[in-house]
Amino acid sequence: MSSPGGDGTRDRPGSPVRPVAAIVIGALAIVWMILTMLDLRENDGIAPLIAMFGVPALAAAVIIQIVMTRVRGKERVGGAVFWWVLVVLPLGTLAAFIVAILRDPDYFIGDDGPWMLIWVPIFICLAILLGALVWFFFVFPAVMLVEVTGRILRGEAKPTAIIPSLVLLALGVLCVVGGLSIDTDSSGRASWGAIIAAFLGVPGGYDVVWPPGLWIVRGIILAIVLVFAVPAISRRIRS
């Protein structure tokens, strides 16, 4: 039986269609559970945000890793994979949001009018695109970390080979924790000064929302600097 992509890859051994379909179905099950069973207004509306951005982005990131693994192994991916992630996932998420809007129209529409609902499908599509960043900063380095650790244990690589994956993970954590830790008075490039001031602990146009998170960010920055600075200084001293 041929797949929706029309290339007949669904029944081939090792085809990525089944795991991708399982990921999408699982993600949609979580989205539907969140939007139909949980209180949408609780915790400042965190549930709809997770359903709109978090779950689709994470699902897309894992699917990207599956696709990249196939590409790296020079194996056929199949059009059905893209059908699941680019059609089924966004439409299934949108359908769940339609049910959620019917559950609590005042929460989603409020005083802004129904025209605001046009942003729902746009944000869902952006969330799937956001999956590329989630993959690059979290899924990809995590997989690479596991692979490199195995190579190190087998004596096939030096311990320093683990540094790139750790740095990528650290940068991802830094962005997330940093974003949760401070609230700047400006946005875009104008906020960079406030962000740097917050990291350095000097007064600026920012508010510290989560002090422990800010210290985590400072620790990550210090660790990254030491990882690259210490070897460079050591080589300079030896030379």
Side-chain angles (χ1 to χ4, degrees):
M1 182 174 64
S2 63
S3 64
D7 54 8
T9 59
R10 176 177 293 179
D11 296 327
R12 293 181 181 178
S15 171
V17 176
R18 288 186 178 179
V20 167
I23 292 170
V24 171
I25 292 172
L28 290 178
I30 295 173
V31 169
W32 276 81
M33 181 191 68
I34 291 174
L35 295 177
T36 59
M37 299 178 63
L38 300 184
D39 186 351
L40 302 179
R41 298 174 181 264
E42 192 174 11
N43 296 322
D44 296 326
I46 189 65
L49 290 177
I50 293 175
M52 180 179 289
F53 292 102
V55 177
L58 182 58
V62 176
I63 292 172
I64 290 173
Q65 179 60 41
I66 293 175
V67 171
M68 294 303 295
T69 301
R70 301 278 299 188
V71 171
R72 188 174 62 178
K74 297 181 179 180
E75 300 178 29
R76 189 178 179 87
V77 176
V81 169
F82 302 100
W83 182 82
W84 277 99
V85 70
L86 298 178
V87 178
V88 177
L89 181 58
L91 289 182
T93 305
L94 180 61
F97 266 94
I98 292 174
V99 175
I101 292 169
L102 295 176
R103 280 184 63 202
D104 194 349
D106 291 337
Y107 175 75
F108 288 96
I109 299 176
D111 299 328
D112 297 321
W115 68 271
M116 286 293 294
L117 297 179
I118 191 64
W119 289 104
V120 174
I122 294 175
F123 285 150
I124 292 173
C125 293
L126 288 176
I128 294 176
L129 295 177
L130 183 65
L133 290 178
V134 176
W135 170 77
F136 183 77
F137 285 108
F138 293 100
V139 178
F140 168 63
V143 172
M144 187 169 63
L145 181 63
V146 173
E147 293 178 353
V148 172
T149 301
R151 292 175 56 198
I152 293 173
L153 293 176
R154 293 192 299 268
E156 299 174 357
K158 296 181 180 180
T160 53
I162 206 171
I163 292 178
S165 56
L166 289 177
V167 170
L168 273 180
L169 278 173
L171 289 175
V173 173
L174 187 150
C175 293
V176 173
V177 176
L180 295 174
S181 301
I182 60 174
D183 181 21
T184 61
D185 297 336
S186 55
S187 60
R189 287 183 295 179
S191 65
W192 282 106
I195 293 174
I196 295 173
F199 291 163
L200 296 177
V202 299
Y206 64 89
D207 294 319
V208 178
V209 180
W210 185 33
L214 193 55
W215 282 106
I216 292 173
V217 169
R218 290 167 179 163
I220 292 174
I221 294 175
L222 178 61
I224 293 175
V225 170
L226 290 177
V227 164
F228 290 101
V230 170
I233 294 174
S234 299
R235 287 194 298 268
R236 173 75 68 172
I237 293 175
R238 286 196 298 267
S239 62

